[in-house]
């Protein structure tokens, strides 16, 4: 682990907020310092909707990251989108409690007791999982589930 990399990560508001949501912050910092995703527990502070890549690409009209990014933003999803390690899924960070009422069978919701591999906040390209849209810096920047529902309704 490089001390410089860890120090740079700790200066980022999004990294500090995400790590403050976990019960083992030291583990998250260490994973990120080594370039690996940190396993964050969903439920108490945030949850995640897993959208299949095919669904997202249909909505976006393409699979290029810039095309997908723009389509998500137009649809009201402005932050907190992770592309999964193999590019087969997109994870949208949403407020806690979303899983209690979620009922769209095409999209899974990671809630209490589930874990999500979250890349370091500066990771914005493959290989591995990365942030397609910037990570949230606080709870007010989590995406609304309603925006995701509206976005995929056209597919």
């Amino acid at each position: 682990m490089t001390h410089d990399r860890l120090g740079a990560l700790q200066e980022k508001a999004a990294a500090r907020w995400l790590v403050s949501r976990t019960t083992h912050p030291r583990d998250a910092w260490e994973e990120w310092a080594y370039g690996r995703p940190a396993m964050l527990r969903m439920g108490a502070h945030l949850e995640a909707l897993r959208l299949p890549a095919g669904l997202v690409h249909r909505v976006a009209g393409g699979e290029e990251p810039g095309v997908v990014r723009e389509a998500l933003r137009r649809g009201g999803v402005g932050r907190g989108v992770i592309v999964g390690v193999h590019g087969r899924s997109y994870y949208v960070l949403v407020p806690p409690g979303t899983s209690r009422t979620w009922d769209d069978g095409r999209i899974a919701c990671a809630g209490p007791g589930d874990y999500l591999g979250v890349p370091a906040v500066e990771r914005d390209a493959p290989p591995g999982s990365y942030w397609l849209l910037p990570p949230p810096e606080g709870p007010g920047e989590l995406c609304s589930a309603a925006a995701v529902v509206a976005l995929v309704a056209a597919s």
Side-chain angles (χ1 to χ4, degrees):
M1 165 177 24
T2 67
H3 182 67
D4 291 342
R5 179 176 164 88
L6 183 58
L9 281 169
Q10 290 174 332
E11 290 178 12
K12 299 185 182 293
R16 288 193 310 273
W17 183 76
L18 286 166
V19 167
S20 74
R21 307 296 99 184
T22 184
T23 54
H24 303 290
R26 177 182 240 164
D27 293 345
W29 289 122
E30 186 173 329
E31 292 300 321
W32 286 346
Y34 281 107
R36 298 183 297 248
M39 296 305 291
L40 300 187
R41 188 179 180 134
M42 301 288 102
H45 305 286
L46 66 150
E47 295 183 356
L49 298 175
R50 183 181 59 79
L51 286 72
L55 174 64
V56 174
H57 297 160
R58 276 193 306 279
V59 169
E63 56 187 69
E64 291 298 316
V67 170
V68 174
R69 189 178 296 115
E70 184 56 34
L72 291 172
R73 286 184 174 142
R74 276 193 320 269
V77 178
R79 295 185 79 93
V81 177
I82 298 169
V83 178
V85 68
H86 299 293
R88 295 183 193 127
S89 299
Y90 292 80
Y91 297 87
V92 180
L93 300 184
V94 294
T98 300
S99 61
R100 285 194 308 263
T101 58
W102 191 255
D103 66 354
D104 187 325
R106 300 173 297 170
I107 301 169
C109 185
D114 294 325
Y115 286 82
L116 178 65
V118 176
V121 298
E122 84 283 1
R123 191 163 184 83
D124 61 1
S129 63
Y130 65 94
W131 293 95
L132 181 69
L133 290 172
E137 294 182 356
E141 294 184 347
L142 294 171
C143 184
S144 96
V148 175
V149 169
L151 182 71
V152 301
S155 67

